[in-house]
Every structure is written in structure tokens, then in C-alpha cells.
Amino acid sequence: KRAVRLRPRDHLAWNLLGAVCIKQKVYNLAQHAHIKSLSLNKDENPAAWTNLGLLYMLNKEYQLANQCYSEAQSNDPKYAQCWVAMAYLAHHMGYKDEADKIFKDLVLDRERRTTVEGTLEYAVRFCEGGMSSEMVHEVLTLTTRCSHLHHSADWLLFNISGVLSEQLHLNRQALQHYVKATTLSPSPELRSDLQRNIERIHCKLGNYTAINPNNHS
């Protein structure tokens, strides 16, 4: 709020205020801030269009959300966050095949900035639906590439990479991913759950002395 008072013509400040308000669920002020941002710059402002679309989506105004995402794509076709939001909207509206295609195109297109969110969604969808070994290889490549590109600190990304590696019987590689996921996990309860993945791999590798019996008490 102080930023927009000091720089009332700064569209970036208004967009940031709107994003914070969405996070705090102050939706009326969020809508005002994003519309103000777009009134100052509507042709080179894909972030504000995307955030306004997200706001409409949260309020179940799906047609308005879709219009905002279309405007964001017109502003900048390489703005990856907009494509992620569009895929979320398609999935939410029941167009699962379209959502999967958007996620896949996003993570395979090197000209667009690969996002952790897009890669995770794509990987989770395939893990839920089952896949051939060729698909496992493809998705594992994507998750590994994404973690390297972004120096990701997302435990879920590494855990999924571990699951995919394990399906391919790459147990030592799976162990590395599971250990990284456990290190990054945000809570002791989650670390305890993730530790079971590590112990299962140790069993497959015959490393029985590495298993902590206290975890099974």
C-alpha cells in the first residue's frame, strides 16, 4: 500500500498489491489493484492479467478468468505462469485432456520458461493415471531438468523423481532423489513418511544396516 501511495503510476506496484491481497483473501481490493495496474499498462502486463484471471477463477467466474488468461497470452506468449493458470482452469472445468496437453507443451517448450508448477502438475497427472516405461523416462527427464534449471527446493519434485526412478529400477538414483526430498521436507511428520521411501530402496539394494529400526517401533 505504501508503494502505490509513493508511486501511484507504477503498474508493477499495483500488481504486487493485488497479488498480496489475493494471498490474504482480500478479494475486493485485489480486483481494484489489478484493474488499476491494467489501466496503467494493459498491453505489456501479462502478470496482472494472469493474477486477475486467478482472482476470477477463485470466485468461480470462469469465463472472465479465461478472457484474462487470453489477454495475458496476447501480451506475452512466453509467459509460463499464464499457461499454468490456463491449464488449471481447463482441468477445473473438466477438460482434462486439454489441461494435460497444455502442461506437456509447457514443459517441453524450451522457448517458454519451464516452471516447477507446470512440471509437477504434468508429473502428478501421469503418476496418478499410470504410464508406460517410455512415458516414465520422458517425465523423469522433465522433472530432473526442471530441478536443475531452477535449483529447486521443492521436496515434491524430488520425491516424484524418486518414484519415477524406482519404477525404472534405477534404485541408486531413486535413493538420491528421496534423500533430497527428505532433506527439503517442511515438517517432521512428512520427513517420517518420506523416510519410508528411503528404507524401501535400501531393502532393494540390500543395505539392511542402513535401515533405522526406531522408525518402525
Side-chain angles (χ1 to χ4, degrees):
K1 289 180 179 178
R2 181 172 176 79
V4 297
R5 283 198 297 268
L6 292 173
R7 302 177 65 177
R9 304 292 299 173
D10 187 341
H11 71 277
L12 296 175
W14 281 105
N15 178 58
L16 181 58
L17 174 61
V20 171
C21 288
I22 289 177
K23 188 80 171 177
Q24 296 179 341
K25 299 182 179 181
V26 186
Y27 294 147
N28 287 338
L29 181 55
Q31 182 181 31
H32 168 73
H34 288 310
I35 290 174
K36 180 66 175 180
S37 177
L38 292 168
S39 72
L40 295 169
N41 182 358
K42 67 183 180 73
D43 296 323
E44 297 178 346
N45 200 354
W49 280 116
T50 300
N51 287 335
L52 184 58
L54 173 61
L55 176 62
Y56 286 136
M57 185 175 164
L58 290 172
N59 287 324
K60 300 182 179 180
E61 298 180 81
Y62 302 128
Q63 290 302 117
L64 289 174
N66 189 57
Q67 291 174 20
C68 289
Y69 296 150
S70 296
E71 290 288 348
Q73 290 167 357
S74 297
N75 274 206
D76 183 1
K78 297 180 182 180
Y79 187 66
Q81 283 79 356
C82 173
W83 290 97
V84 172
M86 181 70 84
Y88 277 129
L89 179 61
H91 179 73
H92 190 77
M93 295 179 69
Y95 302 112
K96 294 184 179 180
D97 290 343
E98 182 180 343
D100 289 343
K101 183 180 185 304
I102 293 173
F103 280 123
K104 183 175 181 178
D105 289 346
L106 176 62
V107 296
L108 288 175
D109 188 347
R110 291 178 179 273
E111 290 192 4
R112 283 182 287 187
R113 296 183 290 276
T114 303
T115 64
V116 173
E117 296 92 337
T119 301
L120 273 175
E121 281 293 325
Y122 182 57
V124 168
R125 289 181 196 287
F126 272 112
C127 285
E128 289 175 345
M131 49 186 165
S132 65
S133 59
E134 290 80 9
M135 285 183 174
V136 175
H137 272 292
E138 177 184 301
V139 180
L140 177 59
T141 299
L142 293 173
T143 57
T144 303
R145 175 181 161 224
C146 187
S147 63
H148 287 325
L149 280 175
H150 295 276
H151 306 290
S152 176
D154 193 310
W155 67 270
L156 182 56
L157 190 63
F158 285 99
N159 193 58
I160 288 177
S161 295
V163 171
L164 297 171
S165 298
E166 191 174 353
Q167 288 189 34
L168 294 171
H169 306 291
L170 303 173
N171 293 325
R172 295 188 184 280
Q173 181 173 310
L175 180 61
Q176 293 176 353
H177 289 308
Y178 286 143
V179 168
K180 184 69 172 179
T182 304
T183 302
L184 296 171
S185 60
S187 70
E189 294 81 7
L190 182 57
R191 279 193 292 276
S192 178
D193 290 338
L194 293 173
Q195 186 66 31
R196 296 190 182 96
N197 291 335
I198 294 175
E199 295 181 354
R200 184 177 63 255
I201 293 296
H202 278 311
C203 285
K204 290 183 177 182
L205 293 171
N207 300 332
Y208 302 112
T209 56
I211 298 173
N212 183 357
N214 293 328
N215 291 332
H216 304 277
S217 57

